[in-house]
Amino acid sequence: MITKKEINEALNQTKDIFNYYDDICFMNSEKVLNAFHKYNVSYSDFEGTTGYGYSDIGRDKIERIYSEIFGGEDAIVRKEIVSGTHAIYIMLSGIIKQKDKLLVISGTPYDTIHESIGIKENKNSLISNGIIYEEIDLLSNDFDYEKIKLSIEKELPKVIYIQRSIGYSLRESIDILKMEQIVKFIKNINKNIIIAVDNCYTEFVESKSPLEVGCDLIVGSLIKNLGAGIVPSGGYIIGRKDLINDISERLYVPGLGKEIGPSLNMNKYILQGLYNAPSVVNNSLKTVIIASLLLENNGFKVEPKYNEKRSDIVEKIYLENADNLIKFVNSIQKYSAIDSNFKIIPDDMPGYDSKIVMASGSFITGSSIELSCDAPLRAPFVAYLQGSITFEYGLIAIMNAINELKK
Ligand SMILES: *Cc1c(COP(=O)(O)O)cnc(C)c1O
């Protein structure tokens, strides 16, 4: 059994790292509060519109606040966006038309968007609609500058797409410094190339957003970092005003764009989620940092190590075989708040090729800013652990999961 002493030593050992992330949390909290004050968030903003949704003051304020915090000109923050995948698809299909080239420079993108791009056959995909697609792998965890330059020179891409977090890959996440360097490089070759970023799981992990280092668009889900476990559903896209307009006309209707879309009763949740997000992201970082150290101490390979730099909230745990993997995911479910009696079995999920095991005993279905753990059931049997609204609940689950592994 994992002892109290072991936990205390781990907490001691992680103190400096925790302090580092407390500082980041402080900076991001100031950003959020300043934006709330700049736009005078008031109780009446919670009152959403119905019907067409014209003149939804709270909704429009939320989008100005998002733009302010993340350094964009405009934003779409809407409940109509169902998931991160939906937000990414809306973004790409809003800005890429027939014969335009889409160049992905962070390796094969996240599983669930394969069909929407057409990496996996679908008659409605972007590729089926005539866009040109090319993909370049990362090179030892950084961008393959040479190949990117060659590809741009061969045929100018309309959009370059970067996925920062790791998805179900074994690579590292892409930090803001690497983002800054690649943006300079690309814009130096041609400043008209649109740089669009899948920002899922990276929000508030560092103190800067990709838009602040020159990217044109960022996109993510509100049942991850920025919803803080409070927002029931939604997604965001932030960036250049003209592009946000194109994307809003794809999401809604040409000519109407962002003017429509009733917020119903969602404004309060979206604001409250954003308000809590820096702290919740901090708690989830502390959870995976302590998990990283404790699991390493108990003989498992982990990435990143507890003291390595992070730019997303995800921890990879190499569990060596299917048995351990299923056991670990089940422990996370067992020590979650909701549906703790559920037994997790590997199953097919829409958008994924392998069978998936997924623990998400969460208040919001599928919410992975709440403590959650998922994995494709395939070698090398890596569990992807993320989230936790509070550090204490995270720690309780990790301790017990390790105990069950040791049984
Ligand atoms: C979660 C995630 C997405 C989107 O997933 P949804 O489940 O559709 O919200 C996209 N990219 C990355 C890297 C992600 O982590």
Side-chain angles (χ1 to χ4, degrees), residues 78-88 90 220-223 232-236 251 365:
R78 299 288 170 110
K79 65 175 188 330
E80 284 87 351
I81 300 176
V82 176
S83 64
T85 306
H86 188 197
I88 292 165
I90 291 289
S221 163
L222 296 190
I223 62 166
S233 179
Y236 75 85
L251 173 62
T365 313

Side-chain angles (χ1 to χ4, degrees), residues 94-95 194 216-217 239-248:
I95 57 178
I194 299 164
D216 298 290
L217 288 166
R240 241 170 66 188
K241 195 170 182 63
D242 59 323
L243 301 174
I244 291 295
N245 179 59
D246 291 342
I247 296 162
S248 74

Side-chain angles (χ1 to χ4, degrees), residues 270-282:
I270 294 178
L271 286 163
Q272 200 176 359
L274 180 63
Y275 182 76
N276 279 272
S279 170
V280 168
V281 168
N282 192 26

Side-chain angles (χ1 to χ4, degrees), residues 83-86 88 110 112 163 165-167 198 200-201 221 223-224 352 368:
S83 64
T85 306
H86 188 197
I88 292 165
Y110 194 71
T112 55
Q163 176 189 312
S165 185
I166 59 178
D198 173 354
C200 283
Y201 282 146
S221 163
I223 62 166
K224 292 184 176 175
Y352 297 92
S368 47

Side-chain angles (χ1 to χ4, degrees), residues 9-19 289-290 293 306 391:
E9 276 171 12
L11 286 171
N12 234 348
Q13 211 174 327
T14 50
K15 219 171 237 163
D16 288 348
I17 318 280
F18 282 16
N19 283 341
I289 289 165
I290 205 81
L293 180 57
Y306 79 97
F391 171 62

